[in-house]
C-alpha cells in the first residue's frame, strides 16, 4: 500500500512529507560490474574485519580505521540500492552494508554511536527510487541490534540516533508516501519486531525497551491508530 490513510489530524506541521524527495537526482544508469563491485565490497570487509576481531593482532587497527572511513563515506550516499538486477543478480548494497556496520561495531567499539547514526542516514536517504523489496529492512534491523548489543552502551547513546530519523520525517503529512519514507518506516517496523523477539544468537540488547518506545513513537506518524 503506497498511501497513508487520511488521518483526522495531519502529521507534524501538515507539510506534505513528499516535498523532501524533491532533491531526487537522476535515476542511476542500469547496473554494471562496477555497481556489483561496490555493493559486494562490504561483504569482503565484513569477513576480514570479523576475522580480525576474532584473532587479535591479525588486522591492524589502523587498517580497520581506514576501511571504516571509506565505508562510512560510501554507505549513506550509494544511490543504486536495488536488491536484485535481472542481468547481474544480487546487488543488495543496503543489506551488505548493514552487515559491515555490525562487523565494524565489534572491531571498533568506539565507533558504535557513529555506526548507529550511519544506519539512520542510510534508511532515511532521499536519493533513491528503490523501495525495499529484498528484506533490506530486516538486515538493517539485525545490524542495529548487533550494534546495540555493544557492552557499555549508555541509554542515551542507544536511543540518540533515532533523533536523526525523527528530523528526517519532521513536517510530514497526509498524502503519498515517498519511497525513502516507506523504507524508513519499514526498517522501524522490522527493528521493533527484532527488539521484541531478540536475536537467536545474542538475545535482546540492554536498552531494547527505550529504543522500541522511540521507534513506536515514529511509527505513529503514519500509523496514528497505534496505542
Amino acid at each position: 500500500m503506497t498511501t497513508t490513510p487520511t488521518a483526522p489530524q495531519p502529521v507534524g506541521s501538515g507539510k506534505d512529507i513528499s516535498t523532501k524527495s524533491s532533491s531526487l537526482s537522476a535515476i542511476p544508469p542500469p547496473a554494471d560490474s562496477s555497481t556489483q563491485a561496490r555493493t559486494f565490497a562490504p561483504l569482503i570487509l565484513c569477513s576480514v574485519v570479523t576475522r580480525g576481531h576474532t584473532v587479535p593482532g591479525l588486522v591492524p587497527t589502523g587498517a580497520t580505521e581506514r576501511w571504516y572511513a571509506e565505508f562510512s563515506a560510501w554507505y549513506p550516499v550509494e544511490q543504486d540500492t536495488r536488491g536484485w538486477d535481472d542481468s547481474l543478480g544480487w546487488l543488495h548494497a543496503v543489506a551488505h552494508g548493514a552487515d559491515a556496520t555490525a562487523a565494524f561495531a565489534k572491531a571498533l567499539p568506539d565507533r558504535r554511536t557513529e555506526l548507529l547514526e550511519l544506519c539512520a542516514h542510510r534508511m532515511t536517504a532521499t536519493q533513491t527510487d528503490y523501495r525495499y523489496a529484498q528484506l533490506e529492512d530486516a538486515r538493517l534491523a539485525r545490524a542495529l541490534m548487533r550494534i546495540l548489543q555493544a557492552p557499555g552502551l549508555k541509554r542515551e547513546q542507544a536511543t540518540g540516533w533515532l533523533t536523526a530519523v525523527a528530523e528526517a520525517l519532521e513536517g510530514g503529512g497526509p498524502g503519498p508516501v515517498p519511497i525513502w519514507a516507506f523504507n524508513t518506516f519499514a526498517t522501524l517496523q522490522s527493528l521493533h519486531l527484532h527488539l521484541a523477539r531478540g536475536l537467536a544468537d545474542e538475545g535482546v540488547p540492554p536498552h531494547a525497551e527505550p529504543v522500541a518506545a522511540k521507534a513506536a513513537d515514529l511509527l505513529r506518524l503514519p500509523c496514528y491508530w497505534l496505542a
Side-chain angles (χ1 to χ4, degrees), residues 2-195:
T2 59
T3 60
T4 53
T6 303
Q9 296 181 348
V11 175
S13 65
K15 178 183 177 183
D16 191 338
I17 199 170
S18 64
T19 59
K20 285 185 176 285
S21 64
S22 61
S23 62
L24 184 64
S25 62
I27 296 174
D32 56 22
S33 57
S34 65
T35 302
Q36 199 170 40
R38 289 197 312 275
T39 60
F40 270 82
L43 284 186
I44 299 173
L45 277 176
C46 185
S47 297
V48 175
V49 170
T50 299
R51 179 63 173 164
H53 174 69
T54 305
V55 183
L58 181 65
V59 178
T61 302
T64 306
E65 286 282 4
R66 289 195 301 273
W67 296 335
Y68 168 73
E70 294 288 337
F71 170 77
S72 62
W74 163 80
Y75 189 44
V77 298
E78 172 61 49
Q79 293 187 38
D80 195 341
T81 55
R82 292 172 294 162
W84 175 268
D85 177 77
D86 288 339
S87 298
L88 293 174
W90 288 110
L91 298 176
H92 239 190
V94 174
H96 294 167
D99 294 348
T101 63
F104 277 120
K106 289 187 179 295
L108 302 173
D110 290 342
R111 301 287 189 181
R112 295 171 300 184
T113 54
E114 292 178 23
L115 287 160
L116 290 170
E117 293 273 352
L118 194 64
C119 291
H121 291 306
R122 178 63 270 174
M123 76 170 76
T124 59
T126 60
Q127 294 187 331
T128 182
D129 67 325
Y130 173 72
R131 188 186 302 273
Y132 290 171
Q134 301 297 336
L135 295 179
E136 290 87 355
D137 53 311
R139 294 281 280 276
L140 268 169
R142 182 180 68 170
L144 288 164
M145 289 282 286
R146 295 202 187 285
I147 300 170
L148 290 168
Q149 288 282 8
L153 198 68
K154 298 179 181 178
R155 177 178 176 141
E156 55 269 24
Q157 293 174 315
T159 60
W161 63 278
L162 285 163
T163 299
V165 180
E167 290 174 349
L169 295 169
E170 186 178 358
V177 178
I179 291 173
W180 71 267
F182 175 92
N183 293 342
T184 300
F185 290 130
T187 304
L188 290 171
Q189 285 180 319
S190 187
L191 175 61
H192 199 278
L193 174 62
H194 279 66
L195 289 165

